[in-house]
């Protein structure tokens, strides 16, 4: 993966930062809504603008609030993003003009070392002319007129960004050839289960906003990271509640974003709250992950404050095996986002699970096992007519998918399919990853 210069989009709430971010990355990655304050954490993506490639960061709206409040913690994330960036793209609303909060942001940016590009958004037509003239008092020269929604002004933005890209020195880039690519690891769970705290512990920095309020994370945030030299792409997601309780449009968008994160992931960590145990919603989320064919690990967070820990662990283990019988024996790991307990064990299990999820068994080995399985437990003969199972082959990996050929396979009971799937998982090294078994009967030449 090439190293690219980073540009952070900053501005007060609702000036169109996420709309511009989505246009530059070429897809709707960031949630967009008419209300201010939708974006809370930093979201990163690879942008292309008229042939220029760079990394773009969408940040939370800059607000003048106490650092201990949620808006204050969001502001700290924005400040960190600018500090890490090669340039800041300072966006204001050209139709509204320069506000006192814009002026405060300007003073803060002028006191820093990060180069600043000033742009007035929503400048389509003549509505933004006075606002663009007013922007000279911010001290960054002439503002670029933009319309992120309609794609206007991108040539001028290209001219402003090009020197940043041309002057960028990537330094030494390690050769990643021969690796299997980064482990795509999504952290999911109910609101306030400790997902962002765990991600911050993994990264060793306060990368995600955390706090006692439930539902702080709204977007699915992907972060590149390394664990003992192995690349990992961490995805922190919004908390998932029961659909019946989700009435707000923004929460529905967040839930859909989490679903896309599950689709994108290779391994999904379902994070439970040790203070609440395993709830029905946790099992629903787990079933959703398994149905999508993703490899699943269950982690119990806040283990440093768990009461009656041995009994709690055994209770969760039993409930998982009963509620998710199709993948009995899921890895169950206890972690603490505060102390770091269990983090290395969790990542180690994630790499091992991805390996099983990506494994392929040779046809010879597979059918030798298949013959032993048929001999130990022959298929039934419904109505006195024997079901003839001929051979088994692995059609694909990620998730492991097998095709069983035979006659009258449509009569094969579900219990016998489960017998075969459990045997494949247990005896051929697939562990607790989801395994799919499709049935195929040879076409009857005399049919019809």
């Amino acid at each position: 993966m090439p190293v690219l210069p980073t540009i952070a989009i900053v501005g007060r709430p609702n000036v169109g930062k996420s709309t511009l971010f989505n246009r530059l990355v070429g897809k709707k990655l960031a949630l967009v809504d008419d209300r201010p304050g939708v974006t809370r954490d930093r979201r990163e993506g690879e942008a292309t603008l008229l042939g220029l490639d760079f990394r773009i960061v969408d940040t939370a709206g800059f607000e003048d609030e106490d650092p201990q409040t949620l808006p204050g913690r969001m502001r700290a994330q924005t400040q960190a993003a600018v500090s890490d960036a090669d340039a800041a793209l300072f966006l204001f609303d050209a139709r509204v003009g320069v506000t006192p909060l814009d002026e405060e942001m300007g003073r803060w940016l002028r006191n820093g070392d990060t180069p600043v590009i000033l742009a007035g958004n929503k400048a389509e037509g003549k509505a933004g002319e006075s606002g663009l003239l007013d922007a000279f008092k911010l001290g960054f020269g002439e503002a670029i007129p933009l319309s992120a929604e309609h794609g206007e002004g991108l040539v001028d933005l290209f001219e402003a960004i090009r020197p940043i890209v041309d002057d960028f020195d990537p330094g030494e880039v390690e050769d990643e050839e021969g690796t299997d690519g980064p482990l795509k690891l999504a952290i999911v769970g109910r609101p306030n289960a400790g997902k962002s705290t765990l991600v911050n512990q993994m990264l060793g920095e306060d990368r995600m906003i955390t706090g006692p309020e439930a539902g702080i994370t709204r977007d699915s945030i992907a972060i590149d990271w390394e664990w003992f030299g192995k690349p990992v792409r961490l995805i922190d997601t919004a908390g998932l509640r029961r659909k019946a309780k989700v009435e707000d449009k923004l929460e529905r968008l967040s839930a859909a974003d989490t679903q896309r994160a599950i689709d994108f992931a290779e391994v999904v960590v379902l994070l439970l709250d040790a203070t609440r145990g395993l709830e029905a919603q946790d099992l629903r989320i787990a079933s959703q992950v398994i149905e999508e064919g993703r490899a699943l690990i269950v982690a119990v967070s806040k283990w440093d404050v768990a009461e009656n820990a041995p009994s709690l662990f055994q209770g969760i283990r039993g409930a998982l095996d009963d509620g998710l019988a199709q993948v009995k024996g899921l890895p169950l790991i206890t972690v603490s986002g505060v102390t770091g307990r269990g983090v290395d064990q969790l990542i180690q299990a994630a790499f091992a699970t991805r390996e099983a999820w990506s494994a392929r068994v040779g046809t010879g080995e597979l059918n030798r096992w298949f013959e032993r399985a048929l001999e130990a437990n022959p298929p039934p003969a419904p109505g006195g007519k024997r079901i003839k199972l001929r051979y088994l082959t692995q059609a694909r990996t990620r998730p492991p998918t097998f095709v069983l050929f035979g006659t009258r396979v449509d009569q094969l009971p579900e219990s016998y399919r489960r017998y075969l799937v459990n045997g494949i998982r247990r005896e051929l090294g697939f562990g607790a990853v989801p395994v799919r078994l499709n049935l195929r009967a040879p076409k009857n030449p005399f049919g019809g």
Side-chain angles (χ1 to χ4, degrees), residues 338-354:
V338 174
T339 68
R341 171 202 167 115
V343 169
D344 284 344
Q345 185 184 0
L346 177 63
I347 303 299
Q348 194 171 2
F351 273 102
T353 301
R354 179 177 75 162

Side-chain angles (χ1 to χ4, degrees), residues 417-439:
R417 287 181 66 162
R418 280 199 303 272
Y419 161 72
L420 293 175
V421 167
N422 289 338
I424 289 170
R425 290 177 49 243
R426 184 178 59 251
E427 298 179 35
L428 295 177
F430 289 98
V433 301
V435 168
R436 292 176 173 168
L437 179 64
N438 300 323
L439 307 179

Side-chain angles (χ1 to χ4, degrees), residues 356-375:
W357 186 66
S358 308
R360 179 177 291 278
V361 182
T363 303
E365 180 187 355
L366 183 59
N367 280 283
R368 284 192 293 275
W369 168 82
F370 183 49
E371 288 171 10
R372 293 195 301 271
L374 294 183
E375 195 174 311

Side-chain angles (χ1 to χ4, degrees), residues 317 320-322 324-330 422 425 431-433:
R317 174 83 276 169
L320 285 173
D321 288 345
D322 289 342
L324 302 170
Q326 69 271 42
V327 285
K328 190 172 286 189
L330 280 170
N422 289 338
R425 290 177 49 243
V433 301

